[in-house]
Amino acid sequence: METPIKVIISGPRGRMGKEAVKMVSNNENFQLVGVVDRINEGKKLSEVDNEFNNIDCLVYTDIKHCIKDTQPDCLVELSVPQAAFEHIKTALAYNVRPVVGTTGLNQEELDELETIANDGNIGCIIAPNFAIGAVLMMKFSQMAAKYFQDIEIIEMHHDQKLDAPSGTAIKTAQLIEEVRAPKKQGHPDEIEKMPGARGADMSGMHIHSVRLPGLIAHQTVMLGGQGETLTIRHDSYNRTSFMTGVKLSIETVMKLDRFVYGLENILD
Ligand SMILES: NC(=O)c1ccc[n+]([C@@H]2O[C@H](COP(=O)([O-])OP(=O)(O)OC[C@H]3O[C@@H](n4cnc5c(N)ncnc54)[C@H](O)[C@@H]3O)[C@@H](O)[C@H]2O)c1
Ligand SMILES: O=C(O)C1=N[C@H](C(=O)O)CCC1
């Protein structure tokens, strides 16, 4: 049997973090060696929450301390954007390969991380959405955008989400930008009678963010043509839907020597 990949997880008590702790702990090719959180320094994870029954790795509030103590191969970052940037930079500085699900990092931060990872020849995967169906929805939207240039992206998430638009909606628009020239949509004299009525604008496409209790993560991309519309939709009904992508990213990042933004770049 191969030596397991030593993993640390940032944000272990969060909705995604909990799911990732379970997935990593139950996979014999991975070893959860520590977690990074805001609180509970020095406690065992099993002491923090009943859900972590039998998981005895330690909680650290300082990622440097965690890395020095546990010598991990990989950081799975699932916390908040305010903390994520420093976590990823620190991981890269210690040759620990980041797998990042946290959204809300700005373009400057992403560019800086890309430079650090590529200059150091160290793998780093940032995936705005780990669900395989969501990646296909983005790729299908990009394919369709070659033929339909008028596009509205409607992303729908639970009401505890901090960032809007979602990372997935931004990434979808970026993929579409690769095949569609900027185009102002709607009537040239269109007036927004209420600010935000037409959503956010990316190269003339519109992005609408819905936040409601009961939702998990959903996106509809509507493309309009002459006498027809095409609707492409993806739904995540639980957070297990993201774990196939997290698992694949941990395995893949260990073989990478560069920065990757988007799961579509590592899927066969
Ligand atoms: N890429 C994907 O497929 C995907 C899927 C779901 C969520 N997300 C993103 O993952 C992130 C987490 O989502 P969530 O729903 O689990 O959020 P959450 O609020 O449930 O969890 C975030 C956790 O991070 C912890 N935290 C805050 N500051 C921290 C710090 N300095 N160090 C370590 N932990 C810290 C919080 O205490 C909380 O437990 C968000 O950015 C979300 O957009 C991405
Ligand atoms: O629950 C969230 O928050 C999610 N965020 C990601 C995004 O911003 O696109 C992906 C889906 C879930």
Side-chain angles (χ1 to χ4, degrees):
M1 203 183 91
E2 280 182 33
T3 320
I5 300 169
K6 290 165 76 178
V7 177
I8 58 173
I9 296 177
S10 163
R13 286 176 305 118
R15 288 173 287 263
M16 274 293 276
K18 276 188 176 161
E19 209 60 54
V21 165
K22 277 189 248 161
M23 186 276 288
V24 169
S25 310
N26 290 329
N27 189 313
E28 61 177 15
N29 298 323
F30 303 151
Q31 183 188 0
L32 184 64
V33 292
V35 294
V36 182
D37 206 342
R38 271 184 312 113
I39 53 170
N40 294 319
E41 170 73 28
K43 286 194 178 167
K44 286 181 181 169
L45 201 50
S46 53
E47 295 168 335
V48 168
D49 192 312
N50 287 339
E51 277 194 53
F52 300 135
N53 204 4
N54 293 330
I55 304 177
D56 280 343
C57 70
L58 293 184
V59 179
Y60 297 82
T61 51
D62 175 9
I63 191 165
K64 261 190 211 160
H65 183 194
C66 178
I67 290 174
K68 284 182 182 164
D69 253 23
T70 63
Q71 299 291 309
D73 302 304
C74 173
L75 159 73
V76 175
E77 167 51 53
L78 296 167
S79 67
V80 290
Q82 301 86 316
F85 181 61
E86 283 309 316
H87 286 167
I88 304 163
K89 263 200 351 186
T90 308
L92 288 169
Y94 285 87
N95 270 337
V96 177
R97 289 152 195 261
V99 165
V100 181
T102 312
T103 53
L105 292 171
N106 62 41
Q107 196 53 51
E108 241 173 49
E109 291 172 325
L110 292 172
D111 290 345
E112 190 176 333
L113 295 170
E114 177 168 15
T115 303
I116 298 171
N118 288 346
D119 287 354
N121 298 115
I122 173 158
C124 174
I125 297 176
I126 301 191
N129 201 313
F130 285 117
I132 307 297
V135 178
L136 293 174
M137 173 267 297
M138 289 187 254
K139 289 299 287 179
F140 294 159
S141 303
Q142 185 188 42
M143 283 169 69
K146 271 174 116 172
Y147 307 98
F148 297 94
Q149 284 82 39
D150 290 79
I151 302 164
E152 305 272 330
I153 299 172
I154 304 122
E155 57 97 341
M156 295 151 278
H157 282 83
H158 58 92
D159 64 347
Q160 298 305 300
K161 185 163 177 58
L162 296 175
D163 51 319
S166 69
T168 308
I170 296 170
K171 177 71 184 175
T172 307
Q174 287 169 340
L175 286 170
I176 291 172
E177 276 176 335
E178 289 173 16
V179 300
R180 167 191 176 274
K183 178 188 179 193
K184 190 182 179 320
Q185 295 181 185
H187 195 285
D189 300 330
E190 180 179 273
I191 296 166
E192 261 192 344
K193 300 285 291 277
M194 288 187 196
R198 293 287 288 120
D201 185 314
M202 253 182 93
S203 304
M205 278 172 276
H206 294 255
I207 305 180
H208 310 269
S209 296
V210 176
R211 296 291 176 266
L212 283 174
L215 293 172
I216 300 275
H218 318 260
Q219 182 167 294
T220 296
V221 180
M222 286 187 76
L223 304 102
Q226 290 304 311
E228 58 178 333
T229 61
L230 172 64
T231 303
I232 302 169
R233 172 159 177 137
H234 176 260
D235 298 275
S236 270
Y237 297 111
N238 59 43
R239 291 178 178 86
T240 316
S241 63
F242 303 116
M243 292 304 128
T244 317
V246 177
K247 176 178 172 287
L248 175 70
S249 298
I250 298 172
E251 289 160 352
T252 307
V253 81
M254 295 310 301
K255 301 174 204 148
L256 280 181
D257 60 0
R258 66 188 169 87
F259 180 88
V260 164
Y261 180 59
L263 208 65
E264 69 280 6
N265 297 303
I266 64 164
L267 289 175
D268 279 340

